[in-house]
Amino acid sequence: MKRFLIRWGEGYLYRPSLLQKLFSILLLPLSALYCLCAYIRYRRSVPKNQGIPVVSVGNLVVGGSGKTPLVIELARRFAKPAVVLRGYGRSSRGMVVVKDRDILCDIAQSGDEAMLYAKSLPHGVVIVSEIRERAIAEAKAIGCDVVLLDDGYGKHAIEKLDVLIRVKTPNPFCLPSGAYREKLWKGKEALIAEEGETFTRRVSVQNPTRKMVLVTAIARPERLDPYLPEVVEKVYFEDHHPFTPGELEAIVKRTGATSLLVTQKDFVKMASFNLNLTVLELSLDVDEAFIEQVKEYVNAKKD
């Protein structure tokens, strides 16, 4: 039932049927109230310098946008970056230093995205915390030279450069009528990143087999469709789902697959299982002029 509701919600926000469009219109008064509250919150916030350059990478809408590979590419351009994120799906609470030289906790404590960052950035620090300011202060104390804030546009009290990935949606309204959590408010500057202009994707398939079944737990998994090799079936779980060996073995048995085709975010949760995995590896080619804009901001904040 939960999986059905998630898929229905993603369809409602990004591929609405006629009935869903009508439902969206009925909810417009609630959307106006939600948007007004978000705007008042923005206007009441005073950005505070954190004593270290902060760059936020995210988007304005709910659901996935491909921010993780962009954060990774930006982090690779700095000597000692820190990635700070909330850590959705983790079993821990409070602040946890996931990586500082070595990985310091398991995936249950870090969450899947944080562990992917930890494994992808040999020279990076990764910290999860519900209170981002606390994690930023810890990154500064460790000696990092920049903080990459995962999905932090709405943290208006933090002085930062906002990088927003443009996500196309047929519905321009705020929740619950549309997909927008916030708007790009007047007076709020941001660098806009767009696929095909700011960056292009590179996808490779590691360990392909004859009969693969796609199993993934990411938001809006249909985003993978243009990059998929031939698969016998697609099995979608809710974002950040904690896989178990038993449920994956059942999928293999039912489909007769010779391997599970998974994303890198899924792989970090399955790597310890005794299963044959094919990994869909995604990376970005980012426009150098865009990267220079980010570097200019960071260098200016260091001076």
Side-chain angles (χ1 to χ4, degrees), residues 229-290:
E230 185 176 350
V231 295
V232 295
E233 191 176 325
K234 301 173 185 177
V235 182
Y236 299 145
F237 290 83
E238 63 270 19
D239 198 14
H240 306 291
H241 175 76
F243 295 105
T244 65
E247 67 189 352
L248 297 175
E249 288 166 0
I251 292 170
V252 171
K253 184 177 180 180
R254 177 176 57 80
T255 61
T258 52
S259 69
L260 300 175
L261 177 63
V262 301
T263 68
Q264 293 158 293
K265 181 178 166 183
D266 302 309
F267 176 76
V268 295
K269 293 183 283 188
M270 303 178 187
S272 62
F273 301 163
N274 187 26
L275 294 166
N276 193 20
L277 302 175
T278 300
V279 183
L280 197 66
E281 291 193 351
L282 169 65
S283 59
L284 301 184
D285 289 322
V286 185
D287 180 65
E288 286 298 326
F290 178 83

Side-chain angles (χ1 to χ4, degrees), residues 8 38 68 99 104-105 123 132 144-145 148 158 164-165 170 187 215 235 256 262 277:
W8 187 92
T68 303
K99 181 177 181 291
L104 305 174
C105 67
H123 65 302
R132 309 305 197 282
C144 296
D145 58 354
L148 280 301
I158 297 173
L164 293 174
I165 301 173
V215 178
V235 182
V262 301
L277 302 175

Side-chain angles (χ1 to χ4, degrees), residues 88-105:
Y88 285 104
R90 63 186 172 117
S91 61
S92 60
R93 296 176 65 97
M95 186 181 73
V96 177
V97 178
V98 177
K99 181 177 181 291
D100 179 11
R101 297 187 180 90
D102 300 314
I103 294 175
L104 305 174
C105 67

Side-chain angles (χ1 to χ4, degrees), residues 210-230:
R210 178 179 56 85
K211 192 176 182 182
M212 298 176 286
V213 55
L214 174 68
V215 178
T216 188
I218 64 171
R220 298 199 295 126
E222 68 280 354
R223 294 180 291 137
L224 298 175
D225 287 348
Y227 311 105
L228 291 179
E230 185 176 350

Side-chain angles (χ1 to χ4, degrees), residues 98-129:
V98 177
K99 181 177 181 291
D100 179 11
R101 297 187 180 90
D102 300 314
I103 294 175
L104 305 174
C105 67
D106 61 23
I107 195 168
Q109 294 174 293
S110 69
D112 50 11
E113 288 178 335
M115 188 57 69
L116 178 55
Y117 285 130
K119 291 182 177 293
S120 301
L121 298 169
H123 65 302
V125 170
V126 180
I127 305 172
V128 294
S129 177

Side-chain angles (χ1 to χ4, degrees), residues 34-232:
Y34 173 94
C35 220
L36 177 62
C37 291
Y39 179 70
I40 291 172
R41 176 176 166 272
Y42 158 65
R43 293 294 299 175
R44 293 179 64 183
S45 299
V46 179
K48 182 179 178 182
N49 188 299
Q50 304 297 306
I52 183 174
V54 179
V55 178
S56 169
V57 179
N59 61 78
L60 296 175
V61 299
V62 296
S65 64
K67 61 179 169 51
T68 303
L70 183 54
V71 171
I72 290 171
E73 286 303 316
L74 290 175
R76 285 174 176 162
R77 306 303 179 106
F78 296 97
K80 191 170 183 181
V83 177
V84 166
L85 63 163
R86 186 185 186 282
Y88 285 104
R90 63 186 172 117
S91 61
S92 60
R93 296 176 65 97
M95 186 181 73
V96 177
V97 178
V98 177
K99 181 177 181 291
D100 179 11
R101 297 187 180 90
D102 300 314
I103 294 175
L104 305 174
C105 67
D106 61 23
I107 195 168
Q109 294 174 293
S110 69
D112 50 11
E113 288 178 335
M115 188 57 69
L116 178 55
Y117 285 130
K119 291 182 177 293
S120 301
L121 298 169
H123 65 302
V125 170
V126 180
I127 305 172
V128 294
S129 177
E130 293 88 352
I131 302 172
R132 309 305 197 282
E133 291 89 342
R134 185 182 175 194
I136 293 169
E138 182 68 16
K140 181 185 175 185
I142 289 171
C144 296
D145 58 354
V146 64
V147 169
L148 280 301
L149 193 60
D150 178 301
D151 200 18
Y153 175 79
K155 304 300 177 183
H156 302 299
I158 297 173
E159 184 180 290
K160 62 190 186 301
L161 170 66
D162 281 295
V163 174
L164 293 174
I165 301 173
R166 179 169 285 143
V167 178
K168 295 178 180 178
T169 170
N171 193 325
F173 302 112
C174 286
L175 292 166
S177 286
Y180 282 87
R181 295 175 292 177
E182 293 198 45
K183 293 291 188 173
L184 181 53
W185 306 119
K186 184 178 181 181
K188 182 84 168 178
E189 295 183 359
L191 285 181
I192 305 300
E194 187 167 5
E195 184 170 2
E197 294 185 10
T198 312
F199 62 86
T200 55
R201 300 177 189 269
R202 287 186 285 110
V203 179
S204 62
V205 180
Q206 304 299 318
N207 187 37
T209 66
R210 178 179 56 85
K211 192 176 182 182
M212 298 176 286
V213 55
L214 174 68
V215 178
T216 188
I218 64 171
R220 298 199 295 126
E222 68 280 354
R223 294 180 291 137
L224 298 175
D225 287 348
Y227 311 105
L228 291 179
E230 185 176 350
V231 295
V232 295

